[in-house]
PDB file of all heavy atoms in Angstrom:
ATOM      1  N   ASP A   3     -11.732 -21.223 -13.020  1.00  0.00           N
ATOM      2  CA  ASP A   3     -12.364 -20.821 -11.741  1.00  0.00           C
ATOM      3  C   ASP A   3     -11.333 -20.426 -10.722  1.00  0.00           C
ATOM      4  O   ASP A   3     -11.517 -19.510  -9.934  1.00  0.00           O
ATOM      5  CB  ASP A   3     -13.210 -21.968 -11.254  1.00  0.00           C
ATOM      6  CG  ASP A   3     -14.489 -22.144 -12.048  1.00  0.00           C
ATOM      7  OD1 ASP A   3     -14.821 -21.236 -12.817  1.00  0.00           O
ATOM      8  OD2 ASP A   3     -15.217 -23.142 -11.839  1.00  0.00           O
ATOM      9  N   PHE A   4     -10.195 -21.260 -10.697  1.00  0.00           N
ATOM     10  CA  PHE A   4      -9.138 -20.894  -9.777  1.00  0.00           C
ATOM     11  C   PHE A   4      -8.560 -19.461 -10.070  1.00  0.00           C
ATOM     12  O   PHE A   4      -8.415 -18.621  -9.083  1.00  0.00           O
ATOM     13  CB  PHE A   4      -8.013 -21.910  -9.975  1.00  0.00           C
ATOM     14  CG  PHE A   4      -6.714 -21.611  -9.231  1.00  0.00           C
ATOM     15  CD1 PHE A   4      -6.588 -21.859  -7.920  1.00  0.00           C
ATOM     16  CD2 PHE A   4      -5.652 -20.991  -9.855  1.00  0.00           C
ATOM     17  CE1 PHE A   4      -5.417 -21.550  -7.211  1.00  0.00           C
ATOM     18  CE2 PHE A   4      -4.500 -20.646  -9.226  1.00  0.00           C
ATOM     19  CZ  PHE A   4      -4.344 -20.951  -7.921  1.00  0.00           C
ATOM     20  N   ILE A   5      -8.425 -19.104 -11.322  1.00  0.00           N
ATOM     21  CA  ILE A   5      -7.900 -17.746 -11.666  1.00  0.00           C
ATOM     22  C   ILE A   5      -8.966 -16.669 -11.380  1.00  0.00           C
ATOM     23  O   ILE A   5      -8.610 -15.648 -10.792  1.00  0.00           O
ATOM     24  CB  ILE A   5      -7.442 -17.748 -13.071  1.00  0.00           C
ATOM     25  CG1 ILE A   5      -6.206 -18.723 -13.305  1.00  0.00           C
ATOM     26  CG2 ILE A   5      -7.031 -16.303 -13.550  1.00  0.00           C
ATOM     27  CD1 ILE A   5      -5.835 -18.906 -14.725  1.00  0.00           C
ATOM     28  N   ASN A   6     -10.185 -16.967 -11.834  1.00  0.00           N
ATOM     29  CA  ASN A   6     -11.174 -15.910 -11.799  1.00  0.00           C
ATOM     30  C   ASN A   6     -11.732 -15.583 -10.399  1.00  0.00           C
ATOM     31  O   ASN A   6     -11.888 -14.401  -9.971  1.00  0.00           O
ATOM     32  CB  ASN A   6     -12.404 -16.296 -12.684  1.00  0.00           C
ATOM     33  CG  ASN A   6     -12.039 -16.289 -14.113  1.00  0.00           C
ATOM     34  OD1 ASN A   6     -11.153 -15.470 -14.547  1.00  0.00           O
ATOM     35  ND2 ASN A   6     -12.730 -17.134 -14.834  1.00  0.00           N
ATOM     36  N   PHE A   7     -11.888 -16.610  -9.567  1.00  0.00           N
ATOM     37  CA  PHE A   7     -12.499 -16.440  -8.302  1.00  0.00           C
ATOM     38  C   PHE A   7     -11.569 -16.500  -7.059  1.00  0.00           C
ATOM     39  O   PHE A   7     -12.061 -16.404  -5.895  1.00  0.00           O
ATOM     40  CB  PHE A   7     -13.611 -17.428  -8.149  1.00  0.00           C
ATOM     41  CG  PHE A   7     -14.683 -17.302  -9.212  1.00  0.00           C
ATOM     42  CD1 PHE A   7     -14.873 -18.340 -10.075  1.00  0.00           C
ATOM     43  CD2 PHE A   7     -15.412 -16.219  -9.380  1.00  0.00           C
ATOM     44  CE1 PHE A   7     -15.819 -18.289 -11.088  1.00  0.00           C
ATOM     45  CE2 PHE A   7     -16.301 -16.085 -10.387  1.00  0.00           C
ATOM     46  CZ  PHE A   7     -16.475 -17.150 -11.302  1.00  0.00           C
ATOM     47  N   HIS A   8     -10.324 -16.817  -7.365  1.00  0.00           N
ATOM     48  CA  HIS A   8      -9.331 -16.953  -6.135  1.00  0.00           C
ATOM     49  C   HIS A   8      -8.032 -16.113  -6.439  1.00  0.00           C
ATOM     50  O   HIS A   8      -7.675 -15.315  -5.583  1.00  0.00           O
ATOM     51  CB  HIS A   8      -8.993 -18.409  -5.873  1.00  0.00           C
ATOM     52  CG  HIS A   8     -10.155 -19.264  -5.530  1.00  0.00           C
ATOM     53  ND1 HIS A   8     -10.673 -19.250  -4.128  1.00  0.00           N
ATOM     54  CD2 HIS A   8     -11.030 -20.038  -6.159  1.00  0.00           C
ATOM     55  CE1 HIS A   8     -11.683 -20.025  -4.069  1.00  0.00           C
ATOM     56  NE2 HIS A   8     -12.047 -20.491  -5.310  1.00  0.00           N
ATOM     57  N   LEU A   9      -7.456 -16.392  -7.496  1.00  0.00           N
ATOM     58  CA  LEU A   9      -6.061 -15.744  -7.788  1.00  0.00           C
ATOM     59  C   LEU A   9      -6.273 -14.143  -7.978  1.00  0.00           C
ATOM     60  O   LEU A   9      -5.558 -13.405  -7.362  1.00  0.00           O
ATOM     61  CB  LEU A   9      -5.426 -16.397  -8.972  1.00  0.00           C
ATOM     62  CG  LEU A   9      -4.038 -15.864  -9.285  1.00  0.00           C
ATOM     63  CD1 LEU A   9      -3.057 -15.978  -8.085  1.00  0.00           C
ATOM     64  CD2 LEU A   9      -3.431 -16.560 -10.552  1.00  0.00           C
ATOM     65  N   LEU A  10      -7.199 -13.781  -8.918  1.00  0.00           N
ATOM     66  CA  LEU A  10      -7.350 -12.399  -9.181  1.00  0.00           C
ATOM     67  C   LEU A  10      -7.876 -11.577  -7.948  1.00  0.00           C
ATOM     68  O   LEU A  10      -7.308 -10.533  -7.648  1.00  0.00           O
ATOM     69  CB  LEU A  10      -8.268 -12.190 -10.442  1.00  0.00           C
ATOM     70  CG  LEU A  10      -7.644 -12.714 -11.652  1.00  0.00           C
ATOM     71  CD1 LEU A  10      -8.633 -12.431 -12.841  1.00  0.00           C
ATOM     72  CD2 LEU A  10      -6.339 -12.052 -12.049  1.00  0.00           C
ATOM     73  N   PRO A  11      -8.870 -12.105  -7.282  1.00  0.00           N
ATOM     74  CA  PRO A  11      -9.347 -11.454  -6.004  1.00  0.00           C
ATOM     75  C   PRO A  11      -8.178 -11.422  -4.938  1.00  0.00           C
ATOM     76  O   PRO A  11      -8.033 -10.469  -4.163  1.00  0.00           O
ATOM     77  CB  PRO A  11     -10.467 -12.239  -5.480  1.00  0.00           C
ATOM     78  CG  PRO A  11     -11.051 -12.885  -6.707  1.00  0.00           C
ATOM     79  CD  PRO A  11      -9.901 -13.162  -7.620  1.00  0.00           C
ATOM     80  N   GLY A  12      -7.331 -12.479  -4.972  1.00  0.00           N
ATOM     81  CA  GLY A  12      -6.192 -12.580  -4.013  1.00  0.00           C
ATOM     82  C   GLY A  12      -5.151 -11.412  -4.311  1.00  0.00           C
ATOM     83  O   GLY A  12      -4.697 -10.839  -3.337  1.00  0.00           O
ATOM     84  N   ILE A  13      -4.932 -11.271  -5.582  1.00  0.00           N
ATOM     85  CA  ILE A  13      -4.001 -10.178  -5.913  1.00  0.00           C
ATOM     86  C   ILE A  13      -4.523  -8.767  -5.568  1.00  0.00           C
ATOM     87  O   ILE A  13      -3.819  -7.921  -5.025  1.00  0.00           O
ATOM     88  CB  ILE A  13      -3.735 -10.218  -7.518  1.00  0.00           C
ATOM     89  CG1 ILE A  13      -2.904 -11.512  -7.758  1.00  0.00           C
ATOM     90  CG2 ILE A  13      -2.874  -8.964  -7.834  1.00  0.00           C
ATOM     91  CD1 ILE A  13      -2.782 -11.671  -9.294  1.00  0.00           C
ATOM     92  N   THR A  14      -5.853  -8.561  -5.771  1.00  0.00           N
ATOM     93  CA  THR A  14      -6.446  -7.294  -5.368  1.00  0.00           C
ATOM     94  C   THR A  14      -6.352  -7.112  -3.856  1.00  0.00           C
ATOM     95  O   THR A  14      -6.019  -6.001  -3.381  1.00  0.00           O
ATOM     96  CB  THR A  14      -7.969  -7.338  -5.784  1.00  0.00           C
ATOM     97  OG1 THR A  14      -8.008  -7.575  -7.316  1.00  0.00           O
ATOM     98  CG2 THR A  14      -8.592  -5.958  -5.571  1.00  0.00           C
ATOM     99  N   LEU A  15      -6.724  -8.111  -3.125  1.00  0.00           N
ATOM    100  CA  LEU A  15      -6.699  -8.049  -1.616  1.00  0.00           C
ATOM    101  C   LEU A  15      -5.215  -7.792  -1.161  1.00  0.00           C
ATOM    102  O   LEU A  15      -5.052  -7.059  -0.296  1.00  0.00           O
ATOM    103  CB  LEU A  15      -7.292  -9.311  -0.981  1.00  0.00           C
ATOM    104  CG  LEU A  15      -7.482  -9.279   0.507  1.00  0.00           C
ATOM    105  CD1 LEU A  15      -8.493  -8.222   0.940  1.00  0.00           C
ATOM    106  CD2 LEU A  15      -7.993 -10.567   0.955  1.00  0.00           C
ATOM    107  N   GLY A  16      -4.301  -8.521  -1.859  1.00  0.00           N
ATOM    108  CA  GLY A  16      -2.894  -8.305  -1.463  1.00  0.00           C
ATOM    109  C   GLY A  16      -2.398  -6.944  -1.755  1.00  0.00           C
ATOM    110  O   GLY A  16      -1.576  -6.447  -0.877  1.00  0.00           O
TER     111      GLY A  16
END
Side-chain angles (χ1 to χ4, degrees):
D3 285 349
F4 171 79
I5 296 175
N6 291 331
F7 302 116
H8 296 276
L9 183 59
L10 295 180
I13 293 173
T14 305
L15 188 61

